[in-house]
């Protein structure tokens, strides 16, 4: 199999992650306050928190709490901040997890929304954000890196604007964490959602939230925390304030191993591999006249959006999967607003998302398969109408 769907979930996982999952699934958890086992350097929860704080440049590990992934983190942000009757500026590059959470808040809590459009290449212009600010604006909520075309927002400029105007800066780092270096203190990010199962190499079902020390936010759920159990109310000590319920211990162990892998190897080293593959693929696709490429031609994260003229992206995905065992993602990609700006309305596009585990040989196989499909589409469209049951996330 050739796996080009890393922006959905990364595969394969590094060996150390697989080892951590099987080790921690097979051993009793050392979980502070929840068993009589003595907490020591083997406390993987503490270790994971410390490593995430190091990776993101957080002031301390209490700023990092665990969730089931970005979607849960984003729900906590939207529900837990005092946004009622306030105005939030966001962008058309956002994932459904942000768009839908905000739209519910708009409907139920009178939160006013402005969606700043990206340009044809997928970039957000800071002046367009500035122009939306009004007296009720409370926050700017931005997708750090697009899951459709990989473009990156200028977080330094947006952060400067947000703090000049006394607004909260909230970042969805689902695609960027582990791929684009992030220093939350240098960037002065107030809140950041991240997921564990993409470029941080963990398994699905683990992610987290960075919250700056002085930012006030309510937890999404309350319940047992393992400490101060006599209290009838949620204890307000971070990070466990945000972490009621038994932790996803194996998921955290996988993330600990994934983050260790990144800290050992370095984000830059992985990007050398990923950007080389990205440019190699982009150059080859650019030379095929029947292909339309979307987004920028500069590497930010290893995602390429494309379409084949006259062929539905879903059919491209089906063909690659069924004939060549190549996995991509097709359609709207849970990003309902960006396609209008990119020009990929109404069917979306074919997304190729690479990892440092991909190879140049896989790129060559992919390009040959696409060329073959284009030839068939010219002579025998029927042959492309294979089984269309693979609807992806349209
Ligand atoms: C930009 C973006 N935000 C949010 C999410 C949701 O992440 P999770 O799967 O961790 O809930 C994704 C996942 O595809 C994403 O790409």
């Amino acid at each position: 199999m050739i796996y080009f769907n890393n922006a959905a979930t990364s595969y394969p996982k590094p060996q150390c992650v697989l080892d951590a999952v099987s080790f921690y699934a097979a051993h009793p958890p050392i979980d502070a306050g929840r068993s009589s086992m003595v907490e020591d350097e083997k406390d993987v929860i503490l270790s994971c928190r410390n490593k995430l704080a190091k990776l993101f440049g957080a002031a301390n590990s209490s700023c990092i709490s665990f969730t089931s992934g970005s979607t849960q983190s984003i729900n906590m942000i939207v529900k837990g901040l005092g946004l009622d009757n306030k105005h939030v500026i966001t962008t058309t590059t956002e994932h459904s997890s942000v768009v839908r959470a905000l739209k519910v808040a708009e409907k139920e809590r009178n939160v006013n929304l402005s969606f700043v459009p990206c340009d044809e290449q997928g970039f957000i212009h800071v002046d367009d954000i500035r122009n939306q600010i009004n007296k009720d604006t409370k926050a700017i909520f931005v997708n750090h890196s697009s899951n459709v075309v990989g473009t990156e927002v200028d977080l330094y400029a947006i952060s400067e604007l947000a703090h000049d105007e006394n607004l909260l800066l909230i970042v969805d780092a689902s695609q960027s964490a582990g791929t684009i270096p992030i220093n939350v203190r240098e960037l002065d990010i107030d809140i950041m959602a991240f997921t564990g199962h993409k470029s941080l190499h963990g398994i699905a079902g683990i992610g987290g939230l960075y919250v700056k020390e002085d930012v006030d936010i309510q937890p999404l759920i309350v319940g047992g925390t393992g400490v101060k159990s006599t209290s009838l109310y949620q204890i307000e000590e971070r990070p466990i304030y945000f972490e009621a319920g038994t932790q996803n211990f194996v998921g955290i162990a996988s993330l600990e191993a994934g983050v260790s892998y990144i800290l050992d190897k370095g984000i830059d080293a992985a990007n050398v591999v990923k950007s080389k593959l990205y440019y190699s693929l982009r150059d080859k696709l650019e030379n095929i006249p029947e292909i339309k490429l979307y987004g920028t031609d500069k590497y930010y994260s290893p995602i390429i959006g494309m379409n084949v003229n006259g062929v539905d992206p879903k059919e491209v995905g089906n063909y690659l999967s069924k004939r060549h065992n190549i996995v991509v993602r097709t359609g709207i990609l849970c990003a309902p607003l960006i396609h209008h700006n990119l020009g990929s309305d109404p069917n979306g596009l074919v997304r190729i998302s690479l990892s440092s585990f991909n190879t140049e040989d896989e790129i060559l196989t992919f390009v040959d398969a696409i060329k073959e499909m284009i030839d068939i589409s010219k002579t025998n469209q029927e042959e492309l109408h294979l089984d269309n049951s693979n609807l992806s996330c349209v």
Side-chain angles (χ1 to χ4, degrees), residues 7-9 67-74 93-98 143-148 172-176 193-198 205-207 329 333-334 351:
T9 290
T67 65
S68 66
S70 288
T71 303
Q72 190 184 328
S73 304
I74 290 160
T93 72
E94 305 308 311
H95 189 270
S96 296
S97 53
V98 172
N143 187 359
H144 190 192
S145 181
S146 161
N147 62 307
V148 178
D172 175 2
S174 302
Q175 290 296 333
S176 56
F194 59 93
T195 195
H197 66 104
K198 300 184 196 277
I206 189 67
R329 179 81 173 260
L333 316 175
C334 299
R351 178 183 71 189

Side-chain angles (χ1 to χ4, degrees), residues 19-29 249-250:
D19 292 345
V21 169
S22 65
F23 180 87
Y24 283 97
H27 287 78
F249 194 74
V250 176

Side-chain angles (χ1 to χ4, degrees), residues 102-374:
L102 286 172
K103 288 303 271 184
V104 170
E106 179 184 57
K107 200 167 156 197
E108 295 180 353
R109 291 154 53 208
N110 195 32
V111 178
N112 234 303
L113 302 176
S114 296
F115 287 93
V116 171
C118 64
D119 66 19
E120 214 184 23
Q121 292 196 304
F123 290 111
I124 296 292
H125 297 277
V126 181
D127 281 343
D128 293 341
I129 298 181
R130 181 179 287 110
N131 290 339
Q132 295 297 327
I133 297 173
N134 67 41
K135 65 174 183 20
D136 294 324
T137 308
K138 169 136 181 173
I140 300 174
F141 200 147
V142 286
N143 187 359
H144 190 192
S145 181
S146 161
N147 62 307
V148 178
V149 283
T151 41
E152 179 187 348
V153 292
D154 183 349
L155 272 187
Y156 279 100
I158 297 174
S159 175
E160 204 181 317
L161 171 66
H163 296 110
D164 281 354
E165 299 285 340
N166 213 10
L167 307 176
L168 289 171
L169 173 61
I170 310 169
V171 177
D172 175 2
S174 302
Q175 290 296 333
S176 56
T179 282
I180 299 172
I182 299 172
N183 186 306
V184 288
R185 271 182 301 167
E186 275 174 20
L187 287 162
D188 206 359
I189 293 171
D190 293 296
I191 310 176
M192 184 175 84
F194 59 93
T195 195
H197 66 104
K198 300 184 196 277
S199 296
L200 293 179
H201 302 298
I203 59 174
I206 189 67
L209 186 66
Y210 162 81
V211 184
K212 199 158 77 178
E213 286 145 309
D214 59 352
V215 172
D216 193 19
I217 175 168
Q218 301 296 309
L220 192 61
I221 52 170
V222 297
T225 50
V227 296
K228 302 200 176 156
S229 295
T230 52
S231 173
L232 302 186
Y233 295 95
Q234 186 74 358
I235 57 151
E236 294 193 9
E237 266 167 46
R238 298 181 186 194
I240 52 175
Y241 184 41
F242 301 124
E243 293 179 345
T246 303
Q247 293 278 37
N248 174 1
F249 194 74
V250 176
I252 292 172
S254 77
L255 185 55
E256 200 268 350
V259 175
S260 304
Y261 179 87
I262 293 169
L263 290 172
D264 285 352
K265 297 214 176 274
I267 286 184
D268 291 344
N271 273 330
V272 170
V273 179
K274 290 189 265 191
S275 65
K276 210 168 151 214
L277 294 169
Y278 171 94
Y279 284 120
S280 166
L281 177 58
R282 203 161 175 114
D283 285 353
K284 290 176 181 60
L285 295 176
E286 254 164 18
N287 286 321
I288 304 175
E290 293 84 355
I291 285 188
K292 171 157 179 50
L293 290 169
Y294 297 91
T296 169
D297 57 5
K298 190 167 170 266
Y299 175 82
Y300 291 90
S301 69
I303 294 178
I304 294 177
M306 58 160 254
N307 263 320
V308 176
N309 290 345
V311 185
D312 189 300
K314 209 164 56 213
E315 287 187 345
V316 178
N318 276 332
Y319 185 86
L320 292 171
S321 167
K322 294 207 156 59
R323 290 287 169 90
H324 294 279
N325 207 13
I326 297 172
V327 183
V328 294
R329 179 81 173 260
T330 64
I332 302 300
L333 316 175
C334 299
L337 301 171
I338 193 174
H339 299 280
H340 184 62
N341 304 128
L342 297 176
S344 46
D345 262 348
N347 295 332
L349 47 75
V350 178
R351 178 183 71 189
I352 304 124
S353 51
L354 306 167
S355 86
S356 55
F357 293 103
N358 289 125
T359 64
E360 182 62 24
D361 277 353
E362 291 178 329
I363 301 285
L364 295 173
T365 305
F366 175 83
V367 173
D368 285 346
I370 282 285
K371 283 183 178 163
E372 178 192 274
M373 202 217 74
I374 290 169

